[in-house]
Amino acid sequence: MESSAPAAARRPAAPPDLDDSPWHTGAACRSDEAGLFFAPSKEPTAARLSREEQAKRVCARCPVLLECREHALAQPEPYGVWGGLTAAERRVVLARRRRREAEIRDARRLSTRIAG
C-alpha cells in the first residue's frame, strides 16, 4: 500500500541531535505500526477517521505526548498523527497561536502608546 507522505515522513522521526532531544526514545508509537500514524494514498474517509482514532489512543497513553506535539508544531510536520493531533488539527493550533501572538503584540503596542 502506498502512502501519501514521503518515505522519510511515514513515522515520527527523531530530531537531528539525539543527545539534545531524547523525547522520542520513550514514545509509545515506536512499537506500533507506522501505517497507523500515516495515511495510505486514497484512503476512504471512514477508514481514515478510524485509523486516526486508533493512533490517538496510542498517543493518549504516551509519556512524551507533549514533547512530540511540540516537535510536530515546531517543524511543522505536514503529515500524520503526532502528539495526538492530525495535520489539520495542528494547523488549527498553529493558527490560534499566531492570532494570540498578534493580539499580544497589538496590546503591547497600544500600552506603549498610552504610556508614552
Side-chain angles (χ1 to χ4, degrees):
M1 197 176 333
E2 248 180 66
S3 171
S4 60
R10 290 194 186 129
R11 182 174 194 95
D17 189 353
L18 301 181
D19 293 332
D20 289 344
S21 301
W23 65 266
H24 53 86
T25 59
C29 64
R30 290 179 66 86
S31 62
D32 286 291
E33 177 64 36
L36 188 60
F37 297 91
F38 295 94
S41 62
K42 300 179 183 177
E43 181 179 36
T45 301
R48 177 182 53 82
L49 294 173
S50 175
R51 180 189 48 74
E52 287 174 347
E53 283 306 313
Q54 289 176 343
K56 287 178 178 187
R57 282 195 291 277
V58 172
C59 293
R61 72 175 200 277
C62 185
V64 295
L65 179 136
L66 294 177
E67 292 89 340
C68 180
R69 180 176 296 171
E70 287 306 315
H71 164 81
L73 292 167
Q75 288 303 321
E77 292 291 347
Y79 304 105
V81 174
W82 289 74
L85 299 175
T86 65
E89 292 166 335
R90 290 192 302 275
R91 285 190 296 273
V92 169
V93 169
L94 289 171
R96 286 181 181 160
R97 284 184 180 182
R98 284 190 298 270
R99 275 195 305 275
R100 189 171 47 241
E101 290 168 2
E103 289 169 358
I104 291 169
R105 276 192 313 273
D106 292 346
R108 285 182 181 150
R109 286 183 194 140
L110 181 60
S111 169
T112 302
R113 281 189 227 156
I114 292 171

